């Protein structure tokens, strides 16, 4: 009788352990875009060193749709047992919740680390007659300028809308369904200006007029910052690692340590060199502060651009 009671107690203890979040050997990493895309590509370079530092198997699950919000919702809704994280970029975390009803908000996440921060450039067609930001400001205050974006609410849109507002431009926004079609439109003279990363700069017949960064980039020392030109604007495409709200301090510390090891790995350095991706590690507290401030700034820009009430 006593032996039977002990087995029952053991079974109950096992169930309780599972219910409270026993850590599995396999960690699921949710990526909110399809395989082969920009976020997925970086996540797959990040994963091996991260897994090695953790001493666990990490499996990437692509959960795409609704501008990344489906995957972000899945990461936020997971149990806070240390078995699920999300590798998420700026869009679904710090932009989309201002544009649509999402099943999560900023309080739905535990903030583990930032991994990348890639500044964006103000671009014009290489053959354009204007030669500087000042030229476009002169045109935009006396006539008008047309700028494109890869879609409403994207970083290219937000950065250009903020610049147009600060410079007092009579600017017309022409959204496209992606960067490729926008570049075709720029080549055809449909749009005057565009904002995007160095990858787009290098792949197209365009010229960089300024970079939306705090200081000049080593790879582009001749490109001035927006701040140098009198516009306090800093925009980047960033990514980071999130968990569901409620991760313990020990879990956060363990994940953040492994994250830092991966960001400092040779594989990540190679990625940065090949794709012009900016690497930046921020730990949990600093990352959370940054994300909340970034989301608040983006919400203000969206409101001023008339995209939200």
């Amino acid at each position: 009788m006593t032996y039977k009671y002990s087995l029952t107690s053991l079974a109950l203890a096992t169930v309780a352990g599972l219910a409270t979040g026993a850590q599995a050997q396999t960690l699921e990493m949710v990526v909110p875009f399809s395989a082969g895309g920009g976020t997925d590509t970086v996540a797959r370079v990040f994963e091996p060193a991260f897994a090695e530092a953790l001493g666990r198997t990490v499996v990437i699950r692509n959960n795409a749709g609704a501008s990344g919000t489906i995957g972000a919702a899945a990461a936020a809704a997971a149990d806070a047992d240390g078995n699920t994280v999300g590798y998420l970029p700026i869009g679904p975390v710090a932009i989309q919740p201002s544009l649509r009803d999402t099943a999560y908000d900023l309080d739905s996440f535990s903030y583990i680390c930032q991994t990348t921060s890639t500044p964006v450039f103000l671009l014009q067609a290489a053959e354009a007659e204007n030669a500087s930001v000042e030229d476009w400001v002169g045109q935009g205050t006396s006539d008008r300028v047309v700028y494109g974006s890869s879609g409403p609410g994207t970083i290219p849109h937000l950065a250009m809308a903020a610049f147009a507002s600060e410079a007092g431009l009579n600017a017309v926004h022409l959204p496209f369904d992606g960067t490729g079609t926008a570049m075709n439109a720029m080549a055809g003279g449909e749009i005057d200006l565009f904002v995007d990363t160095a990858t787009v700069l290098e792949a197209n017949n365009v010229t960089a007029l300024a970079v939306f960064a705090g200081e000049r980039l080593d790879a582009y020392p001749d490109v001035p910052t927006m701040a140098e030109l009198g516009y306090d604007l800093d925009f980047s495409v960033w990514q980071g690692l999130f968990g569901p709200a409620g991760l313990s301090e020990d879990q956060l510390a363990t994940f953040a340590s492994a994250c830092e090891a991966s960001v400092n790995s040779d594989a990540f350095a190679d990625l940065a060199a090949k794709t012009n991706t900016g690497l930046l590690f921020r730990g949990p507290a600093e990352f959370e502060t940054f994300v909340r401030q970034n989301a608040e700034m983006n919400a203000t820009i969206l409101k001023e651009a008339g995209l939200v009430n």
Side-chain angles (χ1 to χ4, degrees), residues 106-249:
L106 294 178
D107 294 330
S108 302
F109 296 104
S110 292
Y111 296 79
I112 297 171
C113 67
Q114 183 172 347
T115 59
T116 70
S117 180
T118 305
V120 292
F121 294 82
L122 180 64
L123 307 174
Q124 68 171 24
E127 64 276 9
E129 293 184 6
N130 286 343
S132 67
V133 170
E134 290 85 351
D135 289 344
W136 286 110
V137 171
Q139 177 175 324
T141 52
S142 61
D143 188 8
R144 73 168 191 171
V145 295
V146 180
Y147 70 92
S149 78
S150 50
T154 58
I155 280 294
H157 180 205
L158 292 181
M160 189 60 215
F163 168 54
S165 177
E166 281 214 11
L169 303 183
N170 176 21
V172 177
H173 174 220
L174 191 59
F176 295 87
D177 59 2
T179 299
T181 51
M183 288 296 95
N184 290 336
M186 177 169 276
E190 294 179 59
I191 59 175
D192 300 312
L193 298 172
F194 193 75
V195 172
D196 218 309
T197 63
T199 300
V200 174
L201 167 62
E202 296 295 341
N204 296 274
N205 189 31
V206 295
T207 298
L209 299 174
V211 61
F212 290 79
E215 56 187 30
R216 293 197 184 201
L217 305 185
D218 291 341
Y220 301 93
D222 296 329
V223 178
T225 67
M226 276 293 188
E228 290 177 53
L229 302 175
Y231 306 100
D232 186 18
L233 301 170
D234 192 337
F235 286 88
S236 65
V237 178
W238 56 258
Q239 300 169 336
L241 197 66
F242 297 78
L247 290 183
S248 70
E249 292 298 321

Side-chain angles (χ1 to χ4, degrees), residues 27-96:
L27 171 69
E28 183 177 74
M29 182 185 295
V30 178
V31 174
F33 295 99
S34 58
T39 301
D40 178 75
T41 298
V42 180
R44 290 181 188 277
V45 175
F46 171 82
E47 177 268 321
F50 178 67
E52 182 180 0
L54 282 179
R56 299 175 67 182
T57 300
V58 177
V59 176
I60 291 177
R61 174 165 66 93
N62 296 97
N63 196 347
S67 300
T69 58
I70 292 177
D79 292 333
D81 54 11
N83 295 326
T84 304
V85 295
Y87 191 87
L88 312 176
I90 178 176
V93 177
I95 297 176
Q96 290 300 324

